[in-house]
Amino acid sequence: MTQLCGGENVLSAMLRHAASRPQAEAIGDAKGRLLWTWGQLAHVVATLSQKLHRRHECEPQIKRRQVLLCQNRPIDVAWSLACAAAGWVHEPQSTDEIFNAATCDRSREQPFLPEADLAEITDASDTPQTISDSDLDELLVRARLIDTHTHALTLRTGGSTGTPLGVMLSHANLFRNATAKLKAVPQHYDDLRWTILPITHAYARTCDLGTWLISGCRLRIGLGRGDLPSGTESTYPTHINTVPTIAQTIVDQLRNNHPAWQRLRVVGCGGAAISQRLLDQFRDHRIDVIQGYGLTETSPVIASEVVDESLPRRLAGIVGKPVEHVETRIQDDRLWVRGPGNMIGYENDAALTEQRIDSAGWLDTGDRVRVQPDGSLQILGRDDDVIVLPTGHKVDPVTIERFAYDVDGVQRAVMLMIDDRLTLAVEADTIDTSALHTAINPHLPPGICCDVVKLEPPLSRQSGELTIKLTPNRNQIRHRWA
């Protein structure tokens, strides 16, 4: 059998495990209905990549771009790896993204759900065979031939600050960023990573899929709060990445001694600001919460805290030092970055790409930061979200929102300027206005008052007020008062 010589792409990483430990558990769905070994995953990838090759042979004029409706299933992961093996660009899309594309009247290739392909690969029990030596050899050759600087993946930006854009990422972007994140948050063969964030977005794509493929740990994949673990001891996770609203659900289950979390050691939290209260509650359960920061345009990780078995008290908004090979510079509190994670560019928009990345390779994040004495970054918020008051004072909404989350019962908090009044819009069953004022007033400019209003009805993905990551879309929420 051909031995893997290495190569900086996630396909090579997967094949390393398929070659050396084909019978080891690799990936399963969150409901426990499907479980593949590394050898079985490689077989599915080989079969799908062969289908792509045949399609190109039959239609050589078509663009090698596979647009797929992605539902966070093992078959979606296999399609991503198959595209890499076949030299195709993978463009996974969620139902929300397809809907948004249609409403924006953008002409895009029609995504499809590959149920027929899954049926062809597996038998009635959804158990594919282990990859043959010849198919493995063929995939190994293809992995070595990948030009790591070519376009591998198109992801849509989260849309929390405007219209989502197509971000083109290379094989090197994905591999090197996942490697850097893995150094900050190590994981091993016997670890179980639980994925419930959409792999159509960069956070889960790199910090879940990428780190899993490189480390060779086990993975369970689902989507959303309804796919949190609830099964047997063999499916109790050691690692999970999440967003603050789902992190609160996990803390509530920990309080009730839910058995699914008895092996949990590390929680990654991103996508939105996490409160100090939640950080401290996880620490009380001897679970380390790793805050990080990044953008789709940087693959996405720019900075990350590092796992520490001594369980230091984490401080909300402090997201760690820049990860390996990422350079930073700050101009007027605004962060610029340069490194191997920086995107190829925006899809079909060279002008915007040049506007975002200068000739020396520095990417403008658009975020305001402050550097701590130890080199860690403190995120202050989006530069274009800063609220300038009639007094001339400036308010960073993210900073104020973070303190609002320390009040019990607050599920989401969004600071806006409404009719020239500073307003905190809060989603909660009941609002303790006095407690909210006590939490946020010390952090407002002198003499400034803030109204508190209830978000009724609650924010939803259907309205566009929540992104697919369940984080508030500030621009869309403003429309309630337009």
Side-chain angles (χ1 to χ4, degrees), residues 183-186 265-266 283 286-290 305-314:
K183 289 188 175 182
V185 186
R265 301 196 315 271
V266 181
R283 186 169 180 263
R286 301 202 58 76
I287 295 169
D288 199 6
V289 177
I290 302 299
E305 292 184 302
V306 177
V307 168
D308 189 335
E309 294 182 359
S310 70
L311 289 175
R313 186 171 189 253
R314 306 294 190 183

Side-chain angles (χ1 to χ4, degrees), residues 1 13 33-34 131 154 215 271 308 324 355 378 393 414 434:
M1 179 184 297
R33 295 175 296 216
L34 181 148
I131 192 168
T154 299
S215 70
D308 189 335
E324 186 178 54
Q355 180 181 331
Q378 178 185 8
H393 289 102
V414 184
S434 176

Side-chain angles (χ1 to χ4, degrees), residues 98-205:
I98 294 167
F99 173 78
N100 289 337
T103 57
C104 291
D105 194 29
R106 291 162 53 216
S107 177
R108 304 202 57 81
E109 179 180 335
Q110 180 65 37
F112 69 95
L113 187 63
E115 295 292 354
D117 297 300
L118 179 60
E120 179 181 321
I121 293 164
T122 61
D123 59 23
S125 63
D126 283 342
T127 304
Q129 65 188 52
T130 297
I131 192 168
S132 66
D133 286 354
S134 60
D135 283 345
L136 181 57
D137 281 348
E138 183 180 347
L139 281 183
L140 289 168
V141 170
R142 292 181 189 172
R144 291 194 191 98
L145 294 176
I146 290 174
D147 179 349
T148 59
H149 297 292
T150 57
H151 184 191
L153 177 70
T154 299
L155 295 179
R156 303 281 138 191
T157 56
S160 58
T161 58
T163 302
L165 300 165
V167 174
M168 300 185 295
L169 301 176
S170 70
H171 296 278
N173 288 153
L174 299 169
F175 182 87
R176 296 190 67 182
N177 199 243
T179 300
K181 181 63 177 181
L182 193 57
K183 289 188 175 182
V185 186
Q187 54 198 33
H188 309 285
Y189 285 177
D190 57 349
D191 283 322
L192 175 60
R193 175 167 285 286
W194 203 275
T195 298
I196 54 169
L197 299 179
I199 60 173
T200 55
H201 284 255
Y203 181 19
R205 189 74 183 211

Side-chain angles (χ1 to χ4, degrees), residues 47 66 75 89 99 103 139 145 147 179 182 201 205 223 227 229 242 274 278 320 358 367 371 395 407 417-418 433:
T47 304
Q66 187 75 317
I75 189 66
V89 174
F99 173 78
T103 57
L139 281 183
L145 294 176
D147 179 349
T179 300
L182 193 57
H201 284 255
R205 189 74 183 211
L223 186 60
D227 279 337
T242 186
I274 188 172
L278 262 179
D358 70 16
D367 288 319
V371 181
V395 175
V407 176
M417 198 68 168
I418 301 173
T433 304

Side-chain angles (χ1 to χ4, degrees), residues 207-257:
C207 300
D208 283 328
L209 293 193
T211 61
W212 157 67
L213 287 166
I214 296 168
S215 70
C217 69
R218 298 175 293 145
L219 182 75
R220 291 290 190 280
I221 186 168
L223 186 60
R225 187 181 281 103
D227 279 337
L228 287 172
S230 60
T232 61
E233 186 172 353
S234 64
T235 62
Y236 294 165
T238 58
H239 294 66
I240 189 170
N241 287 326
T242 186
V243 291
T245 52
I246 298 180
Q248 181 63 63
T249 298
I250 296 173
V251 163
D252 293 342
Q253 293 182 353
L254 284 165
R255 285 174 176 164
N256 294 322
N257 298 315

